[in-house]
Amino acid sequence: MLKEFDFKKKNETYLKVKRKELGEKLFYLQRICEKENVPVIIMVDGWESSGRGRVINDIVRELNTKLYDVYVLDGKNFDDYLFTRKFWEALPAKGEFSVFDRSMYHLMLNELTCKNKIEKRRIKEVENLEKILHNDHTILLKFFLHIDKKRQKKNIKKLKKDKYRDFLVSDYDIEQNENYDAYLDHFDDIIEKTNFSFAPWNIINADNKKDASKQVLGICLEYIRTRLAEIKELRLRESKFVAGDIEKNYFIEDLDLNKSISEKDYDVQIDELQKLARDMAYELYTENIPTVIAFEGIDAAGKGGAIQRLVRHMDPRGYRINPISSPTDAEKDHHYLWRFENNFPPKGKMAIFDRSWYGRVLVERVEGFANEYEWSRAYEEINRMEEELVENGYLLIKFLLVISKDEQKSRFDARQEEKPYKITDEDWRNREKWKSYLTSMNDMIKMTSTEQAPWYVISSEDKKFARIEVLKTFIDEAGKILKENRKNK
Amino acid sequence: MLKEFDFKKKNETYLKVKRKELGEKLFYLQRICEKENVPVIIMVDGWESSGRGRVINDIVRELNTKLYDVYVLDGKNFDDYLFTRKFWEALPAKGEFSVFDRSMYHLMLNELTCKNKIEKRRIKEVENLEKILHNDHTILLKFFLHIDKKRQKKNIKKLKKDKYRDFLVSDYDIEQNENYDAYLDHFDDIIEKTNFSFAPWNIINADNKKDASKQVLGICLEYIRTRLAEIKELRLRESKFVAGDIEKNYFIEDLDLNKSISEKDYDVQIDELQKLARDMAYELYTENIPTVIAFEGIDAAGKGGAIQRLVRHMDPRGYRINPISSPTDAEKDHHYLWRFENNFPPKGKMAIFDRSWYGRVLVERVEGFANEYEWSRAYEEINRMEEELVENGYLLIKFLLVISKDEQKSRFDARQEEKPYKITDEDWRNREKWKSYLTSMNDMIKMTSTEQAPWYVISSEDKKFARIEVLKTFIDEAGKILKENRKNK
């Protein structure tokens, strides 16, 4: 797409219009996006010294200052996290604009000699990310500012002479110009591979900066208008979507809830296992392996207690427990995976989720907070996200703790006595939906228990039995990944 | 306090009690703190290899995992921000616990050869911070784990032999042990200087780790209980506090609102000034000077428009506009300065606030969201905060845009026609409180227009006049600080 680019050809439609007029039209569309609760992402990538700053300035100049943010993703602080992390952090809320000076593509474009395997993985990950954003009705615009070798050299020279802006020229700019052809090959390849139908690239002739801005603005106007109309229609259609039945071959109802452990055995084992778990956590830390552990289970299933026993001897500087309750307003205004993606740990650290992203297909499904179209496509989205974690070397463990309806009743009764603050009317109401929760859990297991990220379904009818099982599973899984890791060294 | 410490003397009261029992009592107090909406900060500083990890583990072991977080402030990523920034970010919400493995004191303790001037400033800053937290009814516990040179050496040796924990020993540990006496002098000095009556240090004999935990837990129990009782009483007393009248010597009512600029003059000047402002912003960036600009003014005073004109030609990667509206739930659960402290820019960057921390003494005062005790002590808190910014090399500019009540009316009427979405019933209701807003603005100017951070009160009756004034003031102030900065080099 870049190599055969004809710098003489220009999209004339918008070049005749005044920049300010285009800017004001974008301001007008921004108001509609705000009204319609549609987030907009504008990514401005391109050659170094191709004038990204100027173009971004021209994009935001007429916008409502309260509803946009500009982010610079220059590749710093990416290392310890998932490749897409900084981008997730900067995603716009509903009705807002995020403009990126360089996007997460920067890392891919930047690395001329990137290992093929990593590059392939990254391409899959951006595809995945852009797809879920697209499906969530985010408007996504990708621009690449294209210039030829001569123009880049001229721009660099001019910038270096500018007493206020000379610092904008880095060694990398010069290195890129010297190796222009190699970079051209590489960019062309990446752009080609990431030119997805749902998130196509716009190659912009940046030979003339003012014209570049006009073209970018013009494309924004056109694309946002088109997408807004599409989104309106899609939302209507999706609201009427009816999810088909999911064929099950596993039923939580069949789980043997009679498993138990004697007080004596528990007392003998627990401390030993906790110390082993602590040692494993230290090893994961020294081996730089990040860990994500998700706990699901009906109210009073014993998630909190199991977590407390799991971490008891661990170094509290190494883990973080994320209690997941109803989303905050900010969380509601973002993709449902946003609050999880932004809390996955860096290398060597552990994040424990007391309830998790599975809320989408459990409580949100049962209570109708997500419509059928939304929760039914979540299975695949979650599987992809978990696949990414595993492929990036994360240790991922998912626990579902199960109790009977009778056991829940007696735990609620006990709580009402001892810790009345821990039990609400809502807890009692949820019991009435026991069957719906069971159905959604069975569907969840069927759809998301993958080879890479299987569910551990554990009877918690005897709390102590469950705690021991959780510890054993963690120790086992940590042992496996550590062994694997050493083999690969 | 450290030098004359007697390692043979121990606080026996808690050593006889089982650690678990102490932990459970802390869990019980945690529930009360949650109920009473009191945040708790526990800072664990001390010698390297003194067993902070173990103590922290013992503190949190019995706590409700949903209501605490452990933070490691190891001095990384502090550089570009205010010295206290990472601590602000980690402050607990009401009813929650934040436990710090090393606090912001780490930076001070760590630097044996710190320049006297910087150290003095830092001490003032922690004093200020701890005082405002104390006044806001946060419970603050400061622990220093003390060991002698021999014990430290032993601990290091033991850790190094531990196959799981050897990584916990860094070069810094060894360096500290080798220069134990110099560090002892330095620590003693810092501890002495920061042993504030409202936030005293607890020196813990960490010769025996288990005993150290028990002492820490015991002190936590005692102090939290005492403070909870005090806070209850204080809250009652403060709710009845009546603020005295503030003597004024300046009245916004007297401002000449007839100042204006002709269309022609405006058109001639605006673009020139915007380009100058852009160049200034570039210079501030290259000189590593951070900038904070606050805009206040009654509804429809033209804040948004003035901001837009100020940044028009600036590189959007260099500034961030923070629109301040009603606080979110998370913001309400923190100190009122929290959302501002966490948005002050790093070196070289600019943060513009469309409304600011002055909300405390304007809207919150007028609407009664803050009681008289709260808003009347805010003046001093704000002055101190601004003083810190200035002393840390920030360029700080505060604008108050003023219009008449009639002018507001005609702007509201115009908005109702053109942009009805921009005007709400609340806006009309606020007009009824015009006089209260005037009083609180006059008080604000009187109390917070300091030499270091004066208010620029600008007539915005003619919007264009105000925009030009804002630009000129920014250019002037930036010029001054740049000149000063070069002189000091």
Side-chain angles (χ1 to χ4, degrees):
Chain A
M1 291 176 73
L2 294 180
K3 282 187 186 168
E4 60 270 29
F5 191 80
D6 181 0
F7 280 100
K8 295 211 184 76
K9 251 168 77 183
K10 281 185 185 178
N11 183 339
E12 298 288 340
T13 337
Y14 292 105
L15 298 188
K16 290 170 226 149
V17 191
K18 277 195 179 154
R19 196 215 50 78
K20 195 173 174 194
E21 204 181 314
L22 297 169
E24 279 164 356
K25 280 186 179 154
L26 190 61
F27 167 69
Y28 178 75
L29 281 181
Q30 188 191 24
R31 275 161 59 179
I32 302 183
C33 291
E34 188 194 0
K35 223 183 93 212
E36 299 287 335
N37 269 321
V38 172
V40 177
I41 295 170
I42 302 175
M43 287 145 77
V44 183
D45 282 284
W47 292 91
E48 294 305 307
S49 297
S50 61
R52 286 189 313 271
R54 165 72 190 268
V55 166
I56 291 171
N57 195 346
D58 283 337
I59 294 172
V60 303
R61 210 181 280 187
E62 259 73 34
L63 295 183
N64 178 348
T65 53
K66 297 193 186 181
L67 295 172
Y68 75 82
D69 267 310
V70 174
Y71 298 93
V72 183
L73 297 195
D74 55 8
K76 273 185 224 155
N77 306 321
F78 270 89
D79 289 1
D80 278 350
Y81 289 93
L82 285 177
F83 156 62
T84 49
R85 169 62 168 266
K86 292 280 143 192
F87 189 69
W88 270 103
E89 283 177 10
L91 285 185
K94 281 177 190 163
E96 299 191 359
F97 278 47
S98 289
V99 184
F100 290 90
D101 171 25
R102 305 186 185 102
S103 63
M104 70 275 192
Y105 281 104
H106 181 62
L107 262 197
M108 288 150 84
L109 296 171
N110 205 346
E111 291 178 355
L112 205 49
T113 56
C114 188
K115 274 174 248 140
N116 221 330
K117 205 175 134 196
I118 294 178
E119 194 180 284
K120 236 177 167 166
R121 200 171 70 205
R122 283 182 181 160
I123 288 173
K124 207 171 89 185
E125 286 169 17
V126 291
E127 178 171 7
N128 188 10
L129 175 52
E130 292 178 3
K131 194 182 237 160
I132 69 163
L133 291 174
H134 179 85
N135 288 345
D136 202 46
H137 308 320
T138 295
I139 298 180
L140 186 71
L141 282 136
K142 286 151 65 175
F143 293 102
F144 186 93
L145 303 194
H146 195 19
I147 44 176
D148 63 19
K149 190 175 181 178
K150 248 167 76 185
R151 168 60 60 193
Q152 189 182 34
K153 201 166 186 177
K154 265 192 209 161
N155 286 356
I156 290 174
K157 218 170 140 187
K158 200 176 155 201
L159 267 178
K160 275 179 110 176
K161 272 194 205 149
D162 185 324
K163 84 176 227 223
Y164 295 120
R165 258 150 299 190
D166 54 345
F167 70 89
L168 288 171
V169 177
S170 71
D171 292 347
Y172 176 57
D173 293 46
I174 294 159
E175 193 257 336
Q176 200 181 67
N177 190 250
E178 279 166 2
N179 300 290
Y180 185 94
D181 290 334
Y183 276 103
L184 182 63
D185 276 350
H186 177 58
F187 289 179
D188 196 58
D189 184 45
I190 299 277
I191 296 278
E192 196 79 56
K193 285 174 178 158
T194 56
N195 193 34
F196 315 119
S197 59
F198 49 83
W201 277 101
N202 299 287
I203 312 297
I204 300 296
N205 180 350
D207 206 34
N208 174 307
K209 284 180 190 175
K210 206 170 162 188
D211 287 355
S213 288
K214 286 185 181 184
Q215 289 174 77
V216 166
L217 278 163
I219 292 170
C220 284
L221 294 177
E222 235 170 275
Y223 192 70
I224 293 175
R225 272 191 215 120
T226 314
R227 283 285 290 146
L228 277 172
E230 273 173 23
I231 288 168
K232 217 165 182 170
E233 209 177 291
L234 280 169
R235 278 181 175 163
L236 189 71
R237 211 187 309 156
E238 287 164 11
S239 68
K240 295 176 188 153
F241 179 88
V242 180
D245 278 343
I246 292 166
E247 193 202 324
K248 296 175 242 328
N249 47 15
Y250 175 87
F251 296 90
I252 291 166
E253 299 91 309
D254 297 340
L255 186 71
D256 178 6
L257 294 182
N258 291 317
K259 285 178 184 163
S260 67
I261 186 166
S262 71
E263 283 286 330
K264 210 182 117 198
D265 284 353
Y266 179 79
D267 289 341
V268 171
Q269 289 179 37
I270 188 77
D271 205 54
E272 184 87 1
L273 288 172
Q274 282 171 343
K275 283 185 177 145
L276 249 170
R278 173 199 61 194
D279 293 342
M280 284 300 186
Y282 273 127
E283 280 204 74
L284 292 168
Y285 179 79
T286 44
E287 298 280 330
N288 250 330
I289 299 172
T291 303
V292 170
I293 306 181
F295 282 83
E296 287 291 348
I298 210 109
D299 295 334
K303 298 182 293 295
I307 292 171
Q308 212 171 17
R309 269 57 173 205
L310 173 62
V311 303
R312 169 140 286 179
H313 283 309
M314 287 182 192
D315 193 322
R317 300 170 289 193
Y319 64 82
R320 196 182 165 106
I321 299 164
N322 301 277
I324 303 300
S325 47
S326 338
T328 63
D329 285 346
E331 286 163 354
K332 274 186 208 148
D333 273 352
H334 283 87
H335 194 278
Y336 73 96
L337 291 175
W338 185 67
R339 59 172 167 163
F340 305 105
E341 291 276 359
N342 284 330
N343 279 299
F344 289 144
K347 284 178 187 162
K349 298 275 185 161
M350 181 184 297
I352 297 171
F353 292 87
D354 187 347
R355 298 195 192 275
S356 72
W357 44 98
Y358 283 99
R360 188 70 164 186
V361 297
L362 297 174
V363 55
E364 291 189 38
R365 170 181 173 181
V366 173
E367 303 293 338
F369 301 145
N371 67 33
E372 304 215 356
Y373 183 76
E374 286 168 333
W375 62 254
S376 62
R377 79 181 143 91
Y379 298 117
E380 203 198 326
E381 290 168 350
I382 287 172
N383 284 341
R384 285 228 188 105
M385 183 186 81
E386 294 182 352
E387 195 186 343
E388 263 177 38
L389 288 174
V390 173
E391 283 180 358
N392 279 283
Y394 276 70
L395 168 58
L396 170 66
I397 312 179
K398 307 185 294 191
F399 291 109
L400 176 65
L401 304 190
V402 179
I403 51 171
S404 68
K405 202 173 174 185
D406 287 346
E407 177 62 23
Q408 190 192 43
K409 174 81 166 56
S410 60
R411 289 188 190 176
F412 275 11
D413 287 339
R415 273 192 193 173
Q416 196 91 53
E417 290 271 304
E418 291 164 37
K419 311 176 190 167
Y421 66 95
K422 260 196 102 174
I423 198 150
T424 64
D425 288 351
E426 208 191 317
D427 292 326
W428 290 105
R429 266 200 307 280
N430 285 342
R431 274 177 68 73
E432 291 164 20
K433 294 176 183 155
W434 189 269
K435 247 195 124 169
S436 309
Y437 274 103
L438 257 186
T439 305
S440 59
M441 280 184 193
N442 280 331
D443 287 350
M444 172 184 87
I445 300 285
K446 165 76 184 174
M447 300 298 283
T448 65
S449 206
T450 60
E451 202 183 318
Q452 287 195 310
W455 273 101
Y456 289 94
V457 184
I458 294 175
S459 165
S460 188
E461 197 84 344
D462 173 10
K463 279 181 191 180
K464 293 189 168 170
F465 172 79
R467 290 172 190 166
I468 295 285
E469 286 300 299
V470 164
L471 273 159
K472 281 184 180 166
T473 309
F474 168 72
I475 293 163
D476 261 18
E477 290 295 315
K480 269 190 236 164
I481 202 171
L482 283 163
K483 204 171 145 193
E484 193 66 27
N485 208 44
R486 278 182 201 126
K487 219 170 64 192
N488 291 340
K489 267 188 186 163
Chain B
M1 292 177 71
L2 293 181
K3 280 189 188 164
E4 58 269 31
F5 191 81
D6 181 0
F7 279 101
K8 292 208 187 77
K9 251 169 75 184
K10 279 185 184 180
N11 183 340
E12 297 288 339
T13 337
Y14 291 105
L15 298 187
K16 292 170 226 148
V17 191
K18 275 198 181 153
R19 196 216 49 79
K20 198 176 171 190
E21 206 182 313
L22 296 169
E24 277 164 358
K25 279 184 179 153
L26 190 63
F27 167 68
Y28 178 73
L29 281 181
Q30 188 190 25
R31 274 161 60 179
I32 301 182
C33 291
E34 188 194 0
K35 222 182 97 215
E36 299 287 336
N37 268 322
V38 172
V40 177
I41 295 170
I42 302 175
M43 286 145 77
V44 183
D45 281 285
W47 292 90
E48 295 304 308
S49 295
S50 60
R52 287 188 312 272
R54 165 71 189 269
V55 166
I56 291 171
N57 195 346
D58 282 339
I59 294 172
V60 303
R61 210 182 279 188
E62 259 74 33
L63 295 183
N64 179 347
T65 53
K66 297 192 184 181
L67 294 172
Y68 76 81
D69 265 310
V70 175
Y71 297 93
V72 183
L73 296 196
D74 54 8
K76 273 185 223 156
N77 307 320
F78 272 88
D79 290 0
D80 278 350
Y81 289 93
L82 285 177
F83 158 63
T84 49
R85 170 62 170 265
K86 292 281 144 192
F87 189 69
W88 270 104
E89 283 178 10
L91 286 184
K94 282 178 188 160
E96 299 192 359
F97 278 47
S98 289
V99 184
F100 289 90
D101 171 24
R102 306 186 184 101
S103 64
M104 69 276 192
Y105 281 103
H106 181 62
L107 262 197
M108 287 150 84
L109 297 171
N110 204 347
E111 290 178 357
L112 205 47
T113 56
C114 188
K115 273 175 250 141
N116 222 332
K117 204 176 133 195
I118 293 179
E119 195 182 282
K120 235 176 168 168
R121 200 171 69 207
R122 282 182 182 160
I123 287 172
K124 207 171 88 183
E125 286 169 17
V126 292
E127 178 172 7
N128 189 12
L129 175 51
E130 292 179 2
K131 193 181 238 162
I132 68 163
L133 291 175
H134 179 85
N135 288 346
D136 202 45
H137 308 321
T138 294
I139 297 180
L140 188 70
L141 283 134
K142 284 152 65 174
F143 293 102
F144 186 94
L145 303 194
H146 195 18
I147 44 177
D148 64 18
K149 190 173 180 177
K150 246 168 78 186
R151 167 62 60 193
Q152 189 183 36
K153 202 165 185 178
K154 264 193 209 161
N155 286 356
I156 291 174
K157 214 168 144 190
K158 200 176 155 203
L159 268 177
K160 275 179 112 178
K161 272 195 201 147
D162 186 323
K163 84 177 230 223
Y164 294 120
R165 259 152 297 191
D166 55 346
F167 70 89
L168 287 171
V169 177
S170 72
D171 291 346
Y172 177 56
D173 295 43
I174 294 158
E175 193 258 336
Q176 201 182 66
N177 190 249
E178 280 167 2
N179 300 292
Y180 185 94
D181 291 335
Y183 275 103
L184 182 64
D185 276 349
H186 178 58
F187 288 0
D188 196 57
D189 184 46
I190 299 275
I191 297 279
E192 197 79 56
K193 285 174 178 158
T194 55
N195 192 32
F196 315 118
S197 59
F198 48 83
W201 277 103
N202 300 287
I203 313 296
I204 300 296
N205 180 348
D207 205 36
N208 174 307
K209 284 180 188 174
K210 207 170 162 185
D211 287 355
S213 287
K214 285 185 182 183
Q215 290 175 76
V216 165
L217 278 164
I219 292 169
C220 283
L221 294 177
E222 237 171 274
Y223 192 70
I224 293 175
R225 270 191 216 120
T226 314
R227 284 285 290 146
L228 277 172
E230 274 173 22
I231 288 169
K232 218 165 180 165
E233 210 178 290
L234 280 168
R235 279 182 176 163
L236 190 69
R237 208 186 311 154
E238 289 164 10
S239 68
K240 295 176 190 153
F241 179 88
V242 180
D245 277 344
I246 292 165
E247 192 202 323
K248 296 175 244 323
N249 48 14
Y250 174 87
F251 297 90
I252 291 165
E253 299 91 309
D254 297 342
L255 186 72
D256 178 7
L257 294 181
N258 291 317
K259 285 179 183 163
S260 67
I261 187 168
S262 70
E263 284 287 328
K264 213 183 117 197
D265 286 352
Y266 180 79
D267 289 342
V268 171
Q269 290 178 36
I270 188 78
D271 205 53
E272 186 87 1
L273 288 172
Q274 282 171 343
K275 282 184 178 147
L276 250 169
R278 173 199 60 196
D279 292 344
M280 284 299 186
Y282 274 127
E283 281 204 73
L284 292 169
Y285 178 80
T286 44
E287 298 279 331
N288 250 331
I289 298 172
T291 304
V292 169
I293 305 179
F295 282 84
E296 286 292 348
I298 209 110
D299 296 335
K303 299 181 293 296
I307 291 171
Q308 211 171 19
R309 268 56 172 205
L310 173 63
V311 303
R312 169 140 288 175
H313 284 308
M314 288 182 192
D315 192 325
R317 300 169 290 191
Y319 65 83
R320 198 183 163 104
I321 298 163
N322 301 278
I324 303 300
S325 45
S326 338
T328 63
D329 286 345
E331 286 162 356
K332 274 184 208 149
D333 274 351
H334 284 87
H335 194 277
Y336 73 96
L337 291 174
W338 184 67
R339 59 171 166 164
F340 305 104
E341 289 276 359
N342 285 329
N343 279 300
F344 289 144
K347 285 181 186 160
K349 298 275 185 160
M350 181 185 296
I352 297 169
F353 291 87
D354 187 346
R355 300 193 189 277
S356 72
W357 44 98
Y358 284 99
R360 187 70 164 187
V361 297
L362 298 174
V363 55
E364 291 189 38
R365 169 181 174 180
V366 173
E367 302 293 338
F369 302 145
N371 67 34
E372 303 214 358
Y373 183 76
E374 285 168 333
W375 63 255
S376 61
R377 79 182 142 90
Y379 298 117
E380 202 198 328
E381 290 167 352
I382 288 172
N383 284 341
R384 287 229 187 105
M385 182 184 82
E386 293 182 354
E387 195 186 344
E388 263 178 37
L389 288 174
V390 172
E391 283 181 357
N392 280 282
Y394 275 70
L395 168 58
L396 170 66
I397 312 178
K398 307 185 295 190
F399 291 109
L400 175 65
L401 303 189
V402 180
I403 52 172
S404 68
K405 203 173 173 187
D406 288 347
E407 178 62 22
Q408 190 192 41
K409 172 81 167 56
S410 62
R411 288 187 192 177
F412 276 10
D413 286 341
R415 273 193 193 173
Q416 196 91 52
E417 290 272 304
E418 290 163 37
K419 311 175 191 169
Y421 65 95
K422 261 197 102 176
I423 197 148
T424 64
D425 288 351
E426 208 191 316
D427 291 325
W428 289 105
R429 267 200 308 279
N430 285 343
R431 273 178 68 74
E432 292 164 21
K433 296 177 182 153
W434 191 268
K435 248 195 124 168
S436 311
Y437 274 103
L438 257 185
T439 305
S440 60
M441 277 183 195
N442 281 331
D443 288 349
M444 171 182 88
I445 300 285
K446 165 76 183 172
M447 300 296 284
T448 64
S449 206
T450 60
E451 202 182 318
Q452 286 195 310
W455 274 101
Y456 289 94
V457 184
I458 294 174
S459 165
S460 189
E461 198 83 346
D462 174 10
K463 280 181 193 180
K464 291 190 170 171
F465 171 79
R467 288 171 192 166
I468 295 286
E469 286 300 299
V470 164
L471 273 159
K472 281 183 179 165
T473 309
F474 168 72
I475 293 162
D476 261 17
E477 291 293 316
K480 270 190 236 162
I481 201 170
L482 282 163
K483 205 172 144 192
E484 193 66 25
N485 208 43
R486 278 185 202 122
K487 218 170 61 192
N488 292 339
K489 265 188 189 167

